Amino acid sequence: MAVRYPDRVALFVMDGQGDVRDDASTLRIVDLGGRPRGRIGRVLKGNWRAFGAVRAAAPRIAQFHDPELIPAALMLKLFGIKVIYDIHENVPNQVLSKAYIRPAMLRQAVSRVVRAFEGFAVRRFDAAVVAVESIGRRFPQQKVVLIRNFPRADLMLRSREPANPKQRFIVSYAGSLTRVRGIPDLVAAMEHLPEQVELQLFGTWHPAALEDTCRAMPGWSKCKFLGRVPHDELVVRMQEAHLGVQLTHDIPNHTGGLATKVFEYLFLGIPVVVSDTAEKRAIYGELVDYAEPANPVSIANAVRGIVADYEHAQARARNNAARVRETYSWEAEAVRLGALYDRLMAPADPR
């Protein structure tokens, strides 16, 4: 949007890193201070800071993603600011997976309250931008705009080839390093794979103690932790991989999500293995291979099959790459997002 509306777009963040301006895109990044500590602090202080800063800026449109900021967004509506709620996750389902809500039976009640409150808010917002169709079904359809979080084709250009897979076969994972994203399962699967197979992990551990847990596993001897790297560097490192993996557990908040990293691997012509669920098969179809989530043996079997017939898997992935780039690029989605902004920015019909 910064390119579409030069010198008119600002991104408000809470990272304590200070204000920044990107001269190339004219995007201004406005820092509201460090992220408040604790959940209650995030809700109370975060909403107050966000409301005050955005209200003072007096934009015509405010788009927000964090569901914790719904109260601030509702207050902005009272001041005539048009609001877009950008929804990437099924928040009521996400509540069902929150271990800190105790006792467990309370999660169902909290989930229903969140569902009702989110529905109330969306009916008052100007639009709800959803990343997957299943999320949008919960809201009034006249409010919903499907904008899938696909990669930018111009950023996903192949510049190198992986090493000989018979000598070194690299399996790549990039993202949050958590239990529900299947990282311990991947490490355990390495124990069952040939010696030339190496797992490369990019990202940050959550919680930090999970790193120690994984390092203590026998499969860790064939793993390499590379930390969090800038996206442009990550794209180059991904090209060294023979296989990408996204093996999130089959829990309510992850069943129907669209993983951008899967499409980034596909853009680069790299085979991918994802969790074998009905929702994932509906999203990715024949573009990827599947393994049972939270099952190291199933994961190892899927990887072993690709190692054994890598030429076929690689040829299939590269044949799919052109179709994936044409159909699943951010450039195509940005057209609809731009049309939404144009509609909301247009003067009101005087009739």
Side-chain angles (χ1 to χ4, degrees):
M1 288 302 102
V3 175
R4 194 181 189 93
Y5 296 105
D7 291 311
R8 299 172 67 184
V9 178
L11 175 65
F12 290 80
V13 300
M14 293 185 197
D15 61 8
Q17 301 298 312
D19 297 350
V20 178
R21 176 185 168 87
D22 181 353
D23 291 331
S25 67
T26 73
L27 174 69
R28 290 184 300 114
I29 299 178
V30 180
D31 183 17
L32 304 184
R35 188 175 176 85
R37 293 185 177 181
R39 296 183 184 91
I40 295 178
R42 289 202 305 268
V43 172
L44 297 180
K45 293 182 181 179
N47 272 278
W48 184 248
R49 282 189 202 170
F51 167 71
V54 178
R55 171 71 185 96
R60 294 179 64 179
I61 301 174
Q63 180 172 342
F64 76 103
H65 167 64
D66 193 337
E68 291 180 349
L69 294 178
I70 288 178
L74 287 170
M75 289 190 290
L76 291 172
K77 281 294 298 178
L78 297 177
F79 287 85
I81 296 173
K82 295 180 179 180
V83 173
I84 300 172
Y85 182 19
D86 188 358
I87 315 172
H88 289 192
E89 298 174 326
N90 189 319
V91 181
N93 280 1
Q94 188 179 42
V95 169
L96 299 175
S97 304
K98 297 297 185 183
Y100 62 80
I101 301 178
R102 299 176 180 174
M105 66 180 67
L106 184 60
R107 295 172 199 163
Q108 288 285 353
V110 175
S111 176
R112 286 193 292 270
V113 171
V114 170
R115 182 181 295 271
F117 181 56
E118 196 177 37
F120 168 85
V122 167
R123 288 191 294 272
R124 283 147 184 82
F125 294 152
D126 297 274
V129 166
V130 299
V132 292
E133 292 180 359
S134 58
I135 293 176
R137 297 190 189 111
R138 297 189 289 111
F139 305 114
Q141 291 307 291
Q142 69 272 20
K143 299 279 188 175
V144 174
V145 180
L146 177 66
I147 307 290
R148 294 164 294 186
N149 193 27
F150 291 141
R152 281 178 53 184
D154 63 324
L155 297 181
M156 303 302 298
L157 301 175
R158 190 159 197 127
S159 61
R160 62 174 62 186
E161 295 295 327
N164 185 339
K166 295 181 179 179
Q167 297 175 356
R168 186 185 184 209
F169 189 99
I170 296 176
V171 179
S172 172
Y173 170 87
S176 295
L177 304 174
T178 68
R179 288 189 181 277
V180 298
R181 292 181 181 269
I183 305 308
D185 311 319
L186 279 167
V187 175
M190 296 302 296
E191 188 180 354
H192 307 286
L193 289 166
E195 284 303 315
Q196 84 267 27
V197 180
E198 173 187 295
L199 174 62
Q200 294 187 350
L201 298 170
F202 298 89
T204 305
W205 297 94
H206 298 288
L210 184 62
E211 180 178 1
D212 294 332
T213 299
C214 289
R215 286 183 179 274
M217 300 170 66
W220 185 260
S221 63
K222 292 191 283 186
C223 298
K224 183 179 289 186
F225 171 54
L226 297 165
R228 187 174 180 179
V229 300
H231 186 262
D232 55 349
E233 179 184 339
L234 178 60
V235 171
V236 175
R237 298 301 301 269
M238 287 167 62
Q239 294 175 51
E240 299 173 355
H242 300 88
L243 176 66
V245 288
Q246 282 283 330
L247 291 155
T248 52
H249 288 186
D250 188 14
I251 60 176
N253 189 41
H254 288 279
T255 53
L258 187 153
T260 305
K261 278 292 174 289
V262 172
F263 287 99
E264 291 186 350
Y265 287 118
L266 293 174
F267 270 42
L268 295 170
I270 299 171
V272 190
V273 174
V274 305
S275 301
D276 191 359
T277 67
E279 290 83 0
K280 298 298 185 189
R281 284 185 177 270
I283 293 172
Y284 305 115
E286 82 290 352
L287 295 173
V288 302
D289 289 276
Y290 298 90
E292 184 180 342
N295 186 334
V297 174
S298 176
I299 294 168
N301 287 340
V303 175
R304 189 182 297 109
I306 292 173
V307 172
D309 194 6
Y310 179 65
E311 289 186 5
H312 173 74
Q314 184 184 46
R316 187 183 67 168
R318 292 190 172 180
N319 286 338
N320 285 332
R323 178 161 63 94
V324 170
R325 284 177 168 273
E326 182 178 343
T327 308
Y328 301 104
S329 71
W330 170 249
E331 284 81 352
E333 301 300 298
V335 172
R336 289 202 301 279
L337 182 60
L340 170 62
Y341 267 76
D342 290 345
R343 175 168 60 84
L344 295 182
M345 292 283 283
D349 191 335
R351 290 178 297 174

